[in-house]
Amino acid sequence: MINMKDVTKFRYMIIPIFTFFLLIIPTVASAELSFPEDTNSFVIDEINALNESEKNKINQLSDQLNLVWKTEFVIVIINSTSNYDNNNATTINLANYGYELFKEWKIGDEVWKDGVLLILATNQSGAWEWTIENGEFWDLYLDFSKIGIDADN
């Protein structure tokens, strides 16, 4: 038989624990990331790796792609994701950061889901790294996971 005193004691113990987890989970899930400023440009060069001529050429190519195909292709160049991780406890890996940035900036058409984000990090874990995040449309027609593999072989 269930003792009502035990049920009441249990209830008083579980409510503060449950409340604590409700308050802490959203903070942990958001990971407190920040992102480069969205300048509505196709090239965001946070470390000035490109000169103006190179930025203009990339912007022209991306603009043509956007005009003809209505596809946004954005290139972001950063030093490291550690510069955007407000937690500073651990550095988020570049692929996860790209996924979060892609969602935050809502790259691509909402219906076609055809945006592409290329991130270059010049000092991610002490070396150059890159990642591509693409909308669902491209998963049907291209395999971005194999880009660069053939060139390495």
Side-chain angles (χ1 to χ4, degrees):
M1 179 148 180
I2 299 175
N3 184 345
M4 287 309 289
K5 281 185 175 181
D6 290 338
V7 171
T8 304
K9 227 191 289 185
F10 178 74
R11 194 179 306 160
Y12 283 119
M13 284 177 24
I14 198 72
I15 290 174
I17 293 169
F18 184 71
T19 304
F20 172 77
F21 281 111
L22 282 177
L23 293 173
I24 194 75
I25 288 173
T27 307
V28 172
S30 68
E32 297 186 36
L33 292 176
S34 61
F35 302 105
E37 181 183 348
D38 184 1
T39 61
N40 285 327
S41 174
F42 293 112
V43 179
I44 312 294
D45 185 359
E46 290 280 294
I47 60 165
N48 297 317
L50 303 173
N51 63 40
E52 286 303 313
S53 174
E54 293 166 330
K55 288 179 191 176
N56 289 336
K57 285 179 186 176
I58 294 170
N59 270 317
Q60 287 174 348
L61 289 171
S62 293
D63 192 39
Q64 288 297 315
L65 184 62
N66 193 25
L67 287 172
V68 174
W69 290 95
K70 305 292 186 230
T71 296
E72 292 180 9
F73 189 100
V74 179
I75 298 173
V76 176
I77 304 172
I78 60 174
N79 183 37
S80 169
T81 58
S82 65
N83 296 350
Y84 302 98
D85 185 355
N86 297 333
N87 242 351
N88 285 333
T90 59
T91 300
I92 186 171
N93 73 46
L94 195 58
N96 290 343
Y97 184 79
Y99 174 76
E100 295 298 330
L101 180 58
F102 189 85
K103 285 190 328 184
E104 176 74 19
W105 284 0
K106 298 177 176 123
I107 297 172
D109 184 89
E110 288 182 35
V111 174
W112 284 94
K113 300 180 185 323
D114 61 347
V116 178
L117 170 65
L118 170 65
I119 301 179
L120 302 170
T122 60
N123 192 21
Q124 186 75 11
S125 304
W128 280 75
E129 286 186 28
W130 61 276
T131 188
I132 292 180
E133 187 65 40
N134 56 280
E136 296 170 17
F137 172 84
W138 296 109
D139 292 336
L140 300 172
Y141 300 102
L142 293 175
D143 185 1
F144 280 103
S145 67
K146 294 188 179 175
I147 291 177
I149 292 174
D150 291 335
D152 293 338
N153 294 329

